[in-house]
Amino acid sequence: MKQYLLLPAFILATIFAQAQPYTVGTKNVTFTDPARSNRSIPVEIRYPGNNTAMVNDSFPFIVFGHGFQMTGNNYYSVFDSLVRQGYIVALPGTETSFSPSHSDFGKDFIFIYDKLISESQTNSSSFLYNHVIPRGAIGGHSMGGGSTVLSCQFSTPATCYFTFAAANTNPSSIAAAPSMNKPYLAMAGSRDCIAPPAAHQIPMYDSSGAPCKVYVSILDATHCQFGPNSVACNFGEGVSGCASTPLSSTAQVSKTLSFLTPYLNYYLKQQCSAWTQFEALYAANTTDDLRRSCTNTIPTNPGITGDNSFCAGNNTVLTAAPAGFTYSWSNAITTQTNTVSTAGTYGVTVSNGVCAVTATPVAVTETALPGTPSSITMPDTVCAGIANIEIVAPVLPPGENYVWTLPVGWVSTSGNPNMIYVTSGNSGGTVSVAIGNACGLGTPLSTPVVVVPSTLGTPGTITGPDSVCSSIAVSFSIAAVSGSDSYVWSFPSGWSVVSGDSTLSVYVAAGSVGGVVSVSAVNSCGESQPATRTVVVPVLDIPGSISGDDTLCAGAAATYSIAAVNGANAYQWSFPLGWSVVSGNSTSAIQVTAGAAGGTVSVAAEGTCGVSQAVTAVVEVNTAPTLTGEIMAPDTVCQGGSQGTFFSLNPFPAGNDTYNWTLPGDWSFVASPNSASPIININSAGTVQVSATNACGNSNTLSLNIAMVDTPAAQITVAGTVLNASPTGAGYTYSWFADGQLIQNASGSSYTPVQDGNYTVVVNGPLCSGQSAPVNFIYNGLQTLANSGFQLYPNPVNNGTLQLTTGEEMVNSLLQVLDAQGKLVYSTSVNATQTTMQLPKIAAGIYAVSLQKKGMYLQQKLVVF
């Protein structure tokens, strides 16, 4: 059963791979055959288009004959597929009786075939006009298949033939089969018991005279399923007992089309690829009974080989590929090779007589012989043996080149086709150039050239000094050279010509280095070999390092020296401003007295040709220290608060001197006693002094008088709920602390606590500050409130409206609201035991609310949110 699942899928894929762009139109016509007593032939024509008109194109066609007691509509499933692919299908409606004439049926096929062509070619009123390509097939099923073969004994106009389960006719189609002389596809069914292949299709196939014939017997195919839904055929097949098959009618039609479609596309549409498809289908089929008498050779991969250009007066041969077919060239040549002598584009179509493929055209060009160059640019007179003589001709287009001819003894050394560089020989002659291309050389262009011999000799000895100092002007000269026009002098780098350049005697200023002096003789044909003389420019060595002290005190004596320098006859010393030479000036060792400032000591060697580069040493000069500023420290200090006071000199000294501080008897050093910034304990009023000392002496002394004032003795006294600070008076300020934390905004001499804690106060005098001992304060307002009926509602409060309730004893008392820092934010009188009050807008936080009257004091905490 597996073969029936896979094979239809393959067949369907093959069919639907063909484009089906058209819809199906239908017309029923009746043709009249005058040659057969005006026989009336009804025909249903199905075509690409709609029932009104055919698509505006022309198409190949098929004439198909029905089986016994069947009509054309039994074959729509087969032929509508072909119509959609661009075929016209004619289905004759004759011979539908129980006693049909097979001969007339076959003749009807021939008549309809010719009529479709003539209607297209001559009848402008026909819907077929200009729509029928004169390539068609004749085919049929059962009786129609036998009549197809029988028709060949009358005429064979069709391009090709095909049959479905063809039945032998009367007269015998088997006997008529040798008359078939066109390609033939015979299709049969292995389960056909109406017209069994062995008795019908195979004898017709074997007897056929077709030059190329193929037989396909589809496994499990039945007779009637080639034309599905025929009641008469199905009845006869059922009576015969061969209607049962595992192959569906759809699968049988699909497989029929899989062979028929490429067969018709090849012969009628002349598609080479269709036969390739047919061959692939045939080769892949291992299920059905397949036979054939031929294989069509298909042209593939068409191409054109050969040279695409030729020289004027000649030709080139183009060859079409592949070989073994017929050929149609664009210039009407029909052989495989095409001899071309005219420029142009050439294409070729390769055909096997049925289908054709076209090669990509090639462009062939004609190349003419090149012309004569327009010019040669070069000197007309040159010297013998001169190199790099430039010879130029105009630039040529691609594909052309120059062929140069030079006089005897001349040599081309470099260049490109239109510009060459040559070395002249000893004689002149003619320089010529011709243009060459693939077709040969054109007429050359020539120009004469004269060679002047070069005979200059090398100059004689150069007269001049062997040694000269830098910048000194000296002269050099030579004897005249025969034939020379001038002379080329060359000197070491840095030398400059003063006068006489290009003459026998030249006057030059020497540079800083020596080297080679050379001279060559020159005339119009070149330059001689040079004569040379080596000249030295003496240069003194740079002195070695200077020996001597690198640090001195101002006014101290010192000696500086260097090792003797070769060639030096004196030495040039230089010292900082203010220094004085004691002895040894201009020698390699010198004694000096240092000035007040250090700097650079330098010395250079002095010789016959000048002074050498100097060598230097940096010397530092120190002086006794001087204190020019002041002592930075407080001139007034607080009693008991000046321990560890920082002292410093201003400006702060940059050196490493030692500083001597003198203190009053009860003062003492904490740190750095010999520095410029000691730390000192001050215990009384007094005067401090300081001086500096270094290796070069002592400085002057600076002094500072320091006074001492008293520090306030801060105390806290408790008065009920109030803390009071002392001392008091003008010039004092106060800072209150609770448990060591500064109370913000508490700056008065008294403070009312709102919570338990250890309280201290700092009393700030005009100069000094004193801090009290801590006082422990216990806040017990809530306990007192419980015995007095003092209540606040609501608590916490948000909008500032407050209900106050108290006992009779607190009527006409003073109410105060204090913030967390003891600051009064609100006060009023309480004149009843129940009072409503409106607090001002105050910040969220904890507040103390108190009532005071005749020594009575009540307090409660209030939370505002």
Side-chain angles (χ1 to χ4, degrees):
M1 183 61 69
K2 182 177 180 181
Q3 61 183 330
Y4 301 117
L5 296 176
L6 297 177
L7 193 56
F10 170 78
I11 298 170
L12 287 172
T14 303
I15 295 172
F16 288 107
Q18 306 295 326
Q20 299 192 21
Y22 300 113
T23 57
V24 179
T26 302
K27 286 191 181 295
N28 290 297
V29 298
T30 300
F31 294 137
T32 300
D33 185 1
R36 290 185 291 163
S37 302
N38 292 325
R39 176 180 169 90
S40 180
I41 305 173
V43 182
E44 178 185 1
I45 301 178
R46 303 180 76 81
Y47 54 84
N50 54 45
N51 291 341
T52 301
M54 193 179 303
V55 172
N56 188 21
D57 201 349
S58 55
F59 305 96
F61 64 95
I62 301 166
V63 179
F64 185 81
H66 58 78
F68 180 71
Q69 288 294 297
M70 298 175 74
T71 61
N73 61 7
N74 294 122
Y75 305 97
Y76 289 167
S77 60
V78 175
F79 293 107
D80 281 3
S81 174
L82 294 171
V83 172
R84 291 187 182 94
Q85 295 182 56
Y87 287 95
I88 298 171
V89 178
L91 303 171
T94 56
E95 303 307 325
T96 58
S97 68
F98 283 101
S99 56
S101 169
H102 297 156
S103 295
D104 284 338
F105 204 28
K107 292 176 181 178
D108 288 344
F109 299 166
I110 297 171
F111 178 79
I112 294 170
Y113 187 97
D114 293 336
K115 185 67 173 176
L116 294 177
I117 295 174
S118 66
E119 287 287 288
S120 175
Q121 294 177 345
T122 61
N123 186 0
S124 61
S125 63
S126 172
F127 80 98
L128 296 170
Y129 186 64
N130 288 337
H131 286 306
V132 179
I133 295 174
R135 288 193 300 274
I138 295 177
H141 172 227
S142 189
M143 174 186 75
S147 296
T148 295
V149 177
L150 180 62
S151 72
C152 292
Q153 72 178 5
F154 308 118
S155 179
T156 56
T159 303
C160 61
Y161 293 86
F162 66 93
T163 59
F164 301 159
N168 193 22
T169 57
N170 184 19
S172 172
S173 54
I174 295 174
S179 299
M180 182 181 289
N181 58 5
K182 302 291 178 63
Y184 174 39
L185 172 63
M187 302 200 69
S190 69
R191 289 184 179 250
D192 188 351
C193 64
I194 303 299
H200 294 265
Q201 293 93 54
I202 292 177
M204 280 186 230
Y205 171 81
D206 290 341
S207 300
S208 170
C212 184
K213 55 187 178 180
V214 180
Y215 172 79
V216 178
S217 177
I218 301 173
L219 180 65
D220 293 328
T222 66
H223 185 84
C224 294
Q225 286 187 164
F226 281 108
N229 303 320
S230 170
V231 175
C233 187
N234 291 341
F235 175 77
E237 199 168 46
V239 171
S240 301
C242 56
S244 176
T245 177
L247 185 66
S248 69
S249 61
T250 299
Q252 183 171 328
V253 168
S254 296
K255 193 161 191 181
T256 300
L257 282 169
S258 71
F259 280 97
L260 180 62
T261 301
Y263 174 81
L264 296 177
N265 285 347
Y266 173 66
Y267 284 110
L268 302 188
K269 290 188 176 182
Q270 298 182 331
Q271 295 177 353
C272 292
S273 60
W275 192 256
T276 301
Q277 179 185 347
F278 187 91
E279 287 288 341
L281 181 69
Y282 189 97
N285 192 313
T286 59
T287 303
D288 304 316
D289 181 10
L290 305 178
R291 308 179 191 183
R292 62 179 177 180
S293 66
C294 63
T295 55
N296 291 313
T297 303
I298 305 299
T300 56
N301 300 321
I304 300 173
T305 59
D307 290 336
N308 292 352
S309 64
F310 62 90
C311 297
N314 209 330
N315 56 54
T316 185
V317 177
L318 304 179
T319 302
F325 296 92
T326 59
Y327 307 91
S328 176
W329 290 86
S330 55
N331 61 339
I333 300 300
T334 58
T335 57
Q336 184 181 6
T337 58
N338 186 1
T339 301
V340 173
S341 58
T342 303
T345 300
Y346 292 85
V348 67
T349 298
V350 183
S351 173
N352 65 356
V354 175
C355 72
V357 290
T358 301
T360 301
V362 296
V364 177
T365 58
E366 180 179 3
T367 303
L369 279 172
T372 301
S374 60
S375 64
I376 297 176
T377 302
M378 66 171 292
D380 55 6
T381 301
V382 298
C383 298
I386 299 300
N388 295 323
I389 300 172
E390 184 180 83
I391 305 177
V392 182
V395 176
L396 288 177
E400 295 184 340
N401 63 291
Y402 284 107
V403 177
W404 293 91
T405 302
L406 302 173
V408 175
W410 288 47
V411 178
S412 175
T413 57
S414 62
N416 52 48
N418 75 298
M419 178 187 294
I420 62 173
Y421 294 89
V422 302
T423 298
S424 61
N426 294 321
S427 60
T430 298
V431 174
S432 66
V433 62
I435 303 174
N437 63 13
C439 295
L441 289 176
T443 302
L445 175 68
S446 300
T447 186
V449 61
V450 175
V451 172
V452 176
S454 298
T455 58
L456 288 176
T458 302
T461 301
I462 300 174
T463 301
D466 294 327
S467 177
V468 61
C469 293
S470 175
S471 302
I472 300 301
V474 294
S475 67
F476 295 90
S477 61
I478 59 170
V481 177
S482 176
S484 174
D485 295 333
S486 63
Y487 301 89
V488 177
W489 290 91
S490 174
F491 298 95
S493 175
W495 291 42
S496 60
V497 175
V498 178
S499 63
D501 195 18
S502 303
T503 67
L504 290 171
S505 180
V506 64
Y507 196 56
V508 295
S512 60
V513 295
V516 175
V517 174
S518 70
V519 63
S520 299
V522 178
N523 67 10
S524 61
C525 288
E527 183 175 331
S528 72
Q529 292 296 315
T532 63
R533 184 183 188 90
T534 300
V535 181
V536 176
V537 175
V539 178
L540 284 174
D541 292 339
I542 299 173
S545 60
I546 299 174
S547 298
D549 294 331
D550 57 4
T551 302
L552 296 172
C553 290
T559 299
Y560 294 95
S561 64
I562 60 170
V565 176
N566 290 331
N569 50 31
Y571 299 90
Q572 296 180 1
W573 289 92
S574 173
F575 295 95
L577 183 65
W579 289 43
S580 59
V581 176
V582 177
S583 64
N585 200 10
S586 299
T587 68
S588 61
I590 189 169
Q591 291 78 42
V592 295
T593 299
T600 300
V601 174
S602 69
V603 62
E606 184 179 336
T608 303
C609 287
V611 180
S612 74
Q613 181 178 335
V615 65
T616 64
V618 176
V619 179
E620 179 182 355
V621 172
N622 296 321
T623 60
T626 299
L627 299 179
T628 59
E630 60 181 340
I631 299 173
M632 295 296 295
D635 57 3
T636 303
V637 299
C638 297
Q639 179 68 43
S642 300
Q643 303 301 301
T645 302
F646 180 79
F647 285 74
S648 179
L649 294 179
N650 181 30
F652 195 85
N656 296 318
D657 299 334
T658 300
Y659 296 88
N660 306 304
W661 294 85
T662 303
L663 307 179
D666 57 347
W667 292 24
S668 62
F669 287 101
V670 177
S672 308
N674 295 117
S675 72
S677 56
I679 301 174
I680 300 172
N681 289 329
I682 303 174
N683 297 315
S684 62
T687 301
V688 63
Q689 294 180 328
V690 64
S691 63
T693 301
N694 65 15
C696 294
N698 299 317
S699 74
N700 57 307
T701 300
L702 299 179
S703 299
L704 176 65
N705 295 321
I706 299 176
M708 180 170 284
V709 298
D710 292 336
T711 299
Q715 291 184 337
I716 297 175
T717 58
V718 181
T721 60
V722 179
L723 303 180
N724 294 308
S726 64
T728 61
Y732 288 106
T733 62
Y734 306 89
S735 300
W736 289 89
F737 295 82
D739 294 328
Q741 300 296 317
L742 178 67
I743 302 172
Q744 298 295 326
N745 302 318
S747 59
S749 62
S750 63
Y751 175 69
T752 302
V754 296
Q755 61 186 28
D756 296 346
N758 290 314
Y759 290 84
T760 57
V761 68
V762 174
V763 179
N764 304 301
L767 181 63
C768 302
S769 299
Q771 180 171 325
S772 73
V775 173
N776 182 259
F777 181 82
I778 300 175
Y779 180 76
N780 56 7
L782 290 177
Q783 181 178 0
T784 304
L785 177 65
N787 299 323
S788 65
F790 183 21
Q791 295 181 358
L792 296 173
Y793 180 84
N795 189 6
V797 65
N798 181 23
N799 59 11
T801 300
L802 199 61
Q803 298 289 332
L804 182 146
T805 302
T806 186
E808 288 289 340
E809 70 275 16
M810 297 305 290
V811 175
N812 297 322
S813 62
L814 175 65
L815 181 141
Q816 289 184 326
V817 179
L818 303 175
D819 62 15
Q821 287 75 37
K823 181 181 178 182
L824 179 66
V825 297
Y826 177 76
S827 67
T828 187
S829 296
V830 177
N831 299 319
T833 57
Q834 290 188 343
T835 303
T836 300
M837 64 181 69
Q838 183 67 39
L839 294 176
K841 185 176 182 180
I842 57 179
I846 299 175
Y847 293 80
V849 181
S850 66
L851 291 176
Q852 302 177 39
K853 179 183 177 185
K854 296 179 181 180
M856 291 185 292
Y857 180 87
L858 301 177
Q859 184 172 316
Q860 180 170 212
K861 181 168 64 175
L862 174 66
V863 178
V864 177
F865 65 97

